[in-house]
Amino acid sequence: MHARLNQAQPYALALFRIVVGLLFACHGAASLFGVLGGAMGGGSIPAGSWPGWYAAVIQLVGGSLVVLGLGTRVAALVSSGSMAYAYFKVHQPEALFPLQNGGEPSAVFCWAFLLLVFTGPGAPALDRLFGRGGAERAEDRAREQAPAVTV
C-alpha cells in the first residue's frame, strides 16, 4: 500500500497545488474586480491602496502561477510571505489565536504555500517543461522512485 501511495504522491501534490492556487487566485480576483462576492462582501479595492490592493495582485498573480505550476517555488514563497504579513499586521493585533482574530485563511494559506516552496509543484506542472535542467529532473525521478522509509 505504501508503494502505491508513494507513486501517487507527485499527482496528489499537484492536485493540492492546483486547489490552493485556485482558491488564492479567486481571493485576488474578488478583491480586484469585485467578482465572486467582491472584496469584504462587495465591490473592489481601490487601485494602489496599501496593503489591500497589492495583496490582491499577489493573490491573483501568485495563485495563477501556482495553479499553472510555473515558477511555483518563487510564487509560493511570495504568496506565503504576503499571508504571513497579512496575519501579523492585520489579524494578530486583534487577538493571539487565528480562531479569535479571523486570521485562519491567512495562516492556512501561509503554511500551504510554504509547503509548496519545499516540495515543488508535483508531477504535471509547466515548471517541468520550462527552465528546469535535466539533472534536476533526473534527481526528481530518482526521489519519486526511491522506496519510502517506514518507521
Side-chain angles (χ1 to χ4, degrees):
M1 173 139 161
H2 288 281
R4 283 192 158 179
L5 290 174
N6 288 338
Q7 287 178 335
Q9 183 178 3
Y11 301 99
L13 181 58
L15 183 60
F16 174 79
R17 168 184 54 84
I18 291 166
V19 170
V20 169
L22 183 61
L23 291 171
F24 200 59
C26 286
H27 274 277
S31 297
L32 290 173
F33 308 118
V35 298
L36 305 170
M40 295 180 264
S44 61
I45 294 175
S49 64
W50 177 259
W53 185 82
Y54 294 94
V57 169
I58 290 171
Q59 290 168 358
L60 181 61
V61 174
S64 298
L65 288 172
V66 167
V67 166
L68 296 172
L70 185 61
T72 305
R73 290 177 188 237
V74 173
L77 182 64
V78 171
S79 298
S80 177
S82 75
M83 289 295 96
Y85 177 86
Y87 181 78
F88 287 110
K89 188 70 175 175
V90 177
H91 298 287
Q92 196 274 329
E94 299 296 319
L96 180 60
F97 295 108
L99 186 60
Q100 297 172 313
N101 62 30
E104 289 171 302
S106 297
V108 170
F109 276 126
C110 178
W111 287 104
F113 283 119
L114 190 62
L115 177 66
L116 289 173
V117 170
F118 289 96
T119 61
L126 291 179
D127 278 346
R128 295 200 180 261
L129 298 176
F130 305 114
R132 299 262 321 243
E136 288 182 17
R137 279 193 288 264
E139 181 181 308
D140 288 345
R141 277 192 304 265
R143 190 174 329 128
E144 290 168 6
Q145 293 172 357
V149 176
T150 56
V151 179

